[in-house]
Amino acid sequence: MNLIDLLGYFGAFLSAITFMPQVWLAWKTKSVGDLSIWMILIVITSCVVWLVYAVNVKSGPVLAANLIVLALSLLLFYFKLTFKKPK
Amino acid sequence: MNLIDLLGYFGAFLSAITFMPQVWLAWKTKSVGDLSIWMILIVITSCVVWLVYAVNVKSGPVLAANLIVLALSLLLFYFKLTFKKPK
């Protein structure tokens, strides 16, 4: 594996963990009013598209990264539906 | 261009516009308290990594998508620093 491949894997790793601190903050505060539901829906849609792409081009890193992001964005979507905004 | 390439471009397009509704919501409400600063910092870092990767593998779609995401995440970072949390 050369340096550029490594860079790609590092990028995929960072992209995969992007929503971890956001899920943690939302869970801790039970507050998601400032999160855009459209952002979450676009992320879910893009993950599905990337997963189909990854299976077809047989890319393990893209598959793994998007499975993690899909799980985290579904969690954010669930939080968005269940945590009530304070009045 | 085959169907799989098209899917990749569609995924890159969706990934590029992910933060547009979030930037819009933050700008409209001037409220970013529920946004994780760590999420924003990870996105900025991953964009830089992906940009270096894209230049090296000469991937136009990866370059374009990450330039857009970088601009939007820098905006969110600026909002996060300047919009005050209501007490």
Side-chain angles (χ1 to χ4, degrees), chain A residues 37 40-41 44 72-82:
Chain A
I37 185 83
I40 299 169
L41 290 175
I44 292 171
L72 294 170
S73 54
L74 285 173
L75 256 178
L76 284 180
F77 184 66
Y78 174 73
F79 290 169
K80 189 73 189 172
L81 293 184
T82 51

Side-chain angles (χ1 to χ4, degrees), chain A residues 7-79:
Chain A
L7 211 62
Y9 279 96
F10 185 51
F13 169 75
L14 287 175
S15 294
I17 64 168
T18 296
F19 287 108
M20 282 186 188
Q22 185 61 67
V23 165
W24 171 248
L25 183 72
W27 174 252
K28 205 176 55 174
T29 60
K30 305 280 184 285
S31 175
V32 291
D34 296 336
L35 280 183
S36 165
I37 185 83
W38 289 106
M39 174 186 73
I40 299 169
L41 290 175
I42 292 175
V43 173
I44 292 171
T45 311
S46 76
C47 282
V48 173
V49 171
W50 281 124
L51 286 174
V52 177
Y53 177 83
V55 168
N56 275 281
V57 301
K58 297 186 175 53
S59 168
V62 177
L63 190 79
N66 279 283
L67 276 177
I68 294 168
V69 176
L70 181 62
L72 294 170
S73 54
L74 285 173
L75 256 178
L76 284 180
F77 184 66
Y78 174 73
F79 290 169

Side-chain angles (χ1 to χ4, degrees), chain B:
Chain B
M1 195 191 295
N2 63 27
L3 196 67
I4 300 306
D5 285 344
L6 259 178
L7 213 61
Y9 280 96
F10 186 51
F13 169 73
L14 287 175
S15 295
I17 65 168
T18 295
F19 287 109
M20 283 187 187
Q22 184 61 66
V23 166
W24 170 247
L25 184 71
W27 174 252
K28 205 176 56 175
T29 61
K30 304 281 183 287
S31 174
V32 290
D34 296 336
L35 279 184
S36 165
I37 186 85
W38 290 106
M39 173 185 74
I40 299 169
L41 291 174
I42 293 174
V43 172
I44 292 171
T45 312
S46 75
C47 282
V48 173
V49 172
W50 281 124
L51 286 174
V52 177
Y53 177 82
V55 168
N56 276 281
V57 302
K58 299 186 174 52
S59 168
V62 176
L63 189 82
N66 280 283
L67 276 177
I68 294 168
V69 176
L70 181 63
L72 294 170
S73 54
L74 285 173
L75 256 177
L76 284 179
F77 184 66
Y78 174 73
F79 290 168
K80 189 74 189 172
L81 294 184
T82 50
F83 296 159
K84 293 285 164 243
K85 216 170 169 174
K87 300 277 174 211

